[in-house]
Amino acid sequence: MNAKTQRAVSRLLIFLLSFASATVTVNAQTDNGDGPKLQNPINVAYVKKNLRKAQPRLVFNRDIEKRLRQQLKTDSVIQNMYKAIQRDAAAIPSEPLLERKKIGRRLLSVSREMLRRVNMLGMVYRIEKDPAVLQRINDEVLAVCRFSDWNPSHYLDVGEMALAVALALDWTAGDLPKTTIEEAEKALIEKGIKPSWPANGENPWWAYGNNNWNQVCNGGMIAASIAIAERDPELAAKTLHRALDGLPNALHEYMPSGVYPEGSTYWDYGTGFSVITIAMLESAFGTDFGYGDFPGFLESATFRVLTKAPSGMYYNFADCGDRRGQNGDIVLAWFAKRTGNAAYFEQDRFLQPVDDMGRLSRLGGAGLVWLAQFEKEAAGSTPTAWQGGGSNPVVFFTGGADDPHQYYFGGKGGRGTVNHGNMDGGSFVFELNGVRWVIDPGNQSYEALEKTGFELWGKSQNSQRWTLLTKNNFGHSTLTVNGQMHRVDGMAAVTDFKDGAAPEATIDLSAAFGDLLGSAQRRFVKDGTTSLLIEDKISPSEKTEEVTWQLMTTADVVIQPDGALLTKDGKSLRIENLSHPGLRFSVVSLDPAPLALDRQIKGLKRIELRIPRWTMKHASETIRIRLVGE
């Protein structure tokens, strides 16, 4: 049996065991009680028997470290990335020690910086055993452990800080002064784990939540529990058990096919904490309890790859950032390690000159371990047409790696109430020849909004969130009816998908409009190597007054009798009005945006085709628009 077959069999067995394990306790707070679970044999006896005794045991263990040292002698990727880690570590001693300074309600930036410093310094110390590096780790640990608290009112801050301190203790493997170890273990208990057990006996909401908080906070608590297991085995065991019990609620969001509903940058965040948690469980217990093989989780690597457009931008739906960084994707590298798929291993980016790299990820030290564990089993490729379902379904059409036109389309369904969601069902982005012609307005600073008292996180129909152009349908390339917002809970589902030379996908938008329309079906077709057809079949209702077809762009626009011409960066794209030649497009400038709190995007405009109800002569109306490039 070859290595690839062994891995497949192992994954199947773990998955089957996740259903069969008699040790799993179903908690009443679990939202998806009938869904897949993780194996959960955790109790005090199990921890005492199965937890690796020797340090390091978080991400590292003796065998993993041995392999890393071997790869450092021969592998150019590992050598180059380690140089980048050395570069970042060398700059830390010139920076002041961290202080407990919040930004708004968050201490998160401080926790993240601590995690980055530990990843850089800790990796260098494991390889070089430099006393000066150990001293700086000691100083960093004492500084944060002497904070009054780690800001439990915003538990992400605690999760990241707990992971940082746990890694610092583990990767130094007893070399820190005993007084520092004592103080750090106490801090992990008093400032990390105990605040996660409220006095009223209830679990914190994130422990069984369905978003990235679950992954981050439970991951931090797992790290802290392993770090203090010998000191307080009862507290460690009950916290580990809760984490394995609650994590499936977040993992269900990857089902059925790997779409991360919070978007690509939140995939990086939530999934990054998932993979380091898996690595810690494997190194500490010899198993991840089925975590890495949870349905849809491994498939999410394909979703991540496809969200990266040829222009360097993301398909930035939900509260996603606009553009990826220059560095290689170390979270994706874990999936390459797990599957052997070279499509997930960004070798060229890992081999770029260190001076060209930006500051490394705060999980960069752990990432080096995953890079060293990668064994290529397949050249790997990503599909040129792909559809992923779930609570925020998406579709992609691309021209493939060798496409001279760099064709890229991403479209979506979903609803506003999804985590970090927007009123953007039916919206899309489109790139051709390296230009993003159709844009998503993306995300904007939470802190800048929150400090004004803006209620950013409401999910009701009248929540203040939906007044923002980045969040409502007026800022997205979709349909609007009667000038009203989409129904926040109206799910837009992908109802049909066809692969092949001319892939297509259909999204049912009916629920987004409620009784304002009888029905609405949006169909996307890649009908040529440089073209995209958008076909909307709508049935008006008694309440329908006007349907507006919208396209968001930052290109220059010239309205023409049969459509519009877009130009940008010396290139052009035609918008052809195939169905309503008697109606003309119009352009609404959104620079400046309507509200002072809106994100201001240079050159932003909305191209509209307004179709009054009185022009609709039949029970069903079809709007056909075609985008055609050079």
Side-chain angles (χ1 to χ4, degrees):
M1 186 182 295
N2 62 30
K4 185 174 183 180
T5 304
Q6 287 177 327
R7 287 181 183 176
V9 171
S10 175
R11 288 197 291 268
L12 177 61
L13 288 173
I14 291 172
F15 175 68
L16 292 174
L17 283 170
S18 72
F19 289 95
S21 176
T23 60
V24 174
T25 300
V26 178
N27 189 294
Q29 289 187 242
T30 302
D31 294 333
N32 300 287
D34 57 348
K37 298 290 183 182
L38 299 180
Q39 302 163 56
N40 196 353
I42 299 295
N43 55 34
V44 173
Y46 182 92
V47 171
K48 287 182 175 180
K49 179 180 178 181
N50 293 282
L51 179 62
R52 182 183 292 270
K53 303 303 185 288
Q55 293 177 314
R57 58 188 180 186
L58 295 179
V59 179
F60 278 111
N61 59 35
R62 188 174 301 163
D63 292 337
I64 292 170
E65 185 169 349
K66 181 179 178 181
R67 178 180 175 85
L68 174 60
R69 290 181 180 276
Q70 290 172 339
Q71 296 291 87
L72 272 170
K73 296 176 183 177
T74 60
D75 190 303
S76 58
V77 168
I78 307 307
Q79 291 168 344
N80 197 56
M81 289 303 296
Y82 184 61
K83 288 178 183 176
I85 289 173
Q86 288 176 307
R87 176 204 65 184
D88 282 10
I92 292 171
S94 63
E95 301 174 13
L97 293 173
L98 295 169
E99 298 179 11
R100 191 186 181 282
K101 292 183 177 179
K102 293 169 62 174
I103 299 176
R105 64 193 182 100
R106 298 173 177 85
L107 190 66
L108 193 54
S109 61
V110 177
S111 298
R112 289 175 169 177
E113 175 60 11
M114 179 61 178
L115 184 54
R116 184 190 74 87
R117 292 183 182 188
V118 167
N119 264 260
M120 301 302 109
L121 294 168
M123 177 56 69
V124 170
Y125 182 71
R126 283 246 50 86
I127 299 302
E128 301 175 20
K129 296 298 178 71
D130 183 342
V133 174
L134 181 65
Q135 181 60 52
R136 182 64 187 203
I137 295 172
N138 181 73
D139 295 343
E140 297 282 358
V141 169
L142 289 177
V144 300
C145 288
R146 290 171 181 173
F147 288 1
S148 59
D149 60 44
W150 292 341
N151 200 36
S153 62
H154 191 260
Y155 225 85
L156 287 179
D157 312 5
V158 181
E160 297 216 26
M161 188 68 82
L163 175 59
V165 173
L167 290 178
L169 288 179
D170 188 76
W171 289 5
T172 53
D175 292 344
L176 289 169
K178 286 183 171 53
T179 54
T180 299
I181 295 172
E182 173 81 7
E183 191 166 344
E185 288 179 350
K186 285 184 177 179
L188 285 171
I189 292 171
E190 300 298 331
K191 298 179 173 110
I193 300 174
K194 283 188 175 179
S196 78
W197 292 98
N200 61 12
E202 296 182 0
N203 286 307
W205 70 266
W206 51 259
Y208 289 85
N210 67 347
N211 64 8
N212 65 81
W213 283 63
N214 181 326
Q215 295 161 283
V216 175
C217 299
N218 276 320
M221 294 304 96
I222 286 172
S225 296
I226 293 171
I228 60 91
E230 287 81 7
R231 185 185 188 97
D232 193 337
E234 289 79 12
L235 180 62
K238 78 171 187 176
T239 305
L240 287 165
H241 186 92
R242 181 187 63 189
L244 292 181
D245 196 35
L247 277 163
N249 281 10
L251 297 178
H252 288 147
E253 293 297 296
Y254 291 86
M255 295 173 64
S257 46
V259 173
Y260 196 70
E262 300 175 42
S264 192
T265 53
Y266 274 101
W267 178 94
D268 186 58
Y269 187 31
T271 308
F273 270 78
S274 280
V275 299
I276 196 170
T277 301
I278 290 167
M280 292 188 297
L281 291 170
E282 288 177 330
S283 58
F285 289 102
T287 176
D288 68 0
F289 304 98
Y291 196 159
D293 293 291
F294 202 90
F297 186 73
L298 290 179
E299 292 85 346
S300 77
T302 296
F303 164 77
R304 170 67 164 179
V305 171
L306 288 171
T307 61
K308 299 176 180 180
S311 66
M313 296 185 72
Y314 289 120
Y315 177 19
N316 55 332
F317 70 88
D319 285 344
C320 180
D322 293 340
R323 185 172 294 274
R324 68 161 300 174
Q326 178 64 23
N327 295 349
D329 191 331
I330 59 102
V331 176
L332 196 58
W334 180 91
F335 289 84
K337 182 269 291 191
R338 184 80 171 215
T339 65
N341 189 341
Y344 305 150
F345 194 84
E346 297 184 332
Q347 180 167 303
D348 290 347
R349 288 178 180 263
F350 295 133
L351 284 173
Q352 66 183 310
V354 170
D355 289 345
D356 291 345
M357 293 185 192
R359 195 165 78 161
L360 297 184
S361 160
R362 62 187 181 280
L363 300 181
L368 186 69
V369 175
W370 307 328
L371 293 174
Q373 292 174 317
F374 172 62
E375 294 180 14
K376 181 178 175 179
E377 293 182 4
S381 62
T382 50
T384 55
W386 188 82
Q387 181 265 325
S391 60
N392 213 4
V394 295
V395 294
F396 296 94
F397 307 150
T398 77
D402 300 321
D403 176 21
H405 302 292
Q406 298 180 298
Y407 189 106
Y408 182 84
F409 159 82
K412 70 181 299 295
R415 57 188 165 198
T417 54
V418 74
N419 293 317
H420 291 281
N422 299 320
M423 292 177 170
D424 59 357
S427 68
F428 66 103
V429 298
F430 184 62
E431 288 186 8
L432 201 66
N433 299 317
V435 177
R436 177 155 294 190
W437 297 104
V438 183
I439 76 158
D440 190 294
N443 194 20
Q444 56 191 110
S445 168
Y446 301 155
E447 171 60 22
L449 292 165
E450 289 173 340
K451 71 181 181 182
T452 69
F454 189 90
E455 296 178 3
L456 182 58
W457 303 111
K459 291 186 176 182
S460 70
Q461 186 67 40
N462 297 318
S463 293
Q464 201 171 14
R465 178 181 178 89
W466 313 122
T467 62
L468 297 173
L469 198 64
T470 54
K471 313 305 180 191
N472 61 42
N473 45 288
F474 308 122
H476 290 88
S477 300
T478 183
L479 298 176
T480 291
V481 179
N482 296 356
Q484 295 190 31
M485 292 183 182
H486 285 188
R487 300 297 171 91
V488 70
D489 58 350
M491 177 65 182
V494 177
T495 56
D496 186 55
F497 176 77
K498 293 183 176 66
D499 202 345
E504 61 179 76
T506 301
I507 301 174
D508 185 352
L509 301 180
S510 303
F513 304 112
D515 59 0
L516 299 181
L517 283 179
S519 64
Q521 309 286 326
R522 167 158 281 197
R523 178 171 168 257
F524 296 106
V525 184
K526 183 189 177 190
D527 65 340
T529 58
T530 62
S531 61
L532 174 71
L533 175 68
I534 306 104
E535 185 176 84
D536 295 309
K537 186 175 182 180
I538 60 174
S539 297
S541 72
E542 292 181 355
K543 294 187 176 181
T544 305
E545 299 171 4
E546 182 180 68
V547 175
T548 303
W549 188 97
Q550 302 170 182
L551 182 145
M552 305 296 293
T553 188
T554 56
D556 294 328
V557 181
V558 176
I559 300 300
Q560 298 179 330
D562 59 349
L565 179 68
L566 275 56
T567 56
K568 189 173 184 179
D569 299 338
K571 297 169 184 166
S572 63
L573 181 85
R574 286 183 292 120
I575 305 177
E576 298 177 341
N577 178 1
L578 303 179
S579 60
H580 291 74
L583 300 176
R584 296 281 295 266
F585 283 108
S586 59
V587 179
V588 177
S589 174
L590 297 169
D591 179 12
L595 302 178
L597 287 177
D598 274 325
R599 182 183 182 186
Q600 303 299 318
I601 300 174
K602 185 177 180 180
L604 182 64
K605 50 190 72 73
R606 183 174 62 236
I607 300 175
E608 300 181 342
L609 184 66
R610 291 179 175 265
I611 304 171
R613 174 66 177 90
W614 63 266
T615 67
M616 303 178 192
K617 306 299 184 184
H618 305 286
S620 178
E621 184 87 2
T622 300
I623 307 167
R624 299 180 77 242
I625 308 291
R626 190 167 183 253
L627 311 183
V628 186
E630 300 168 331

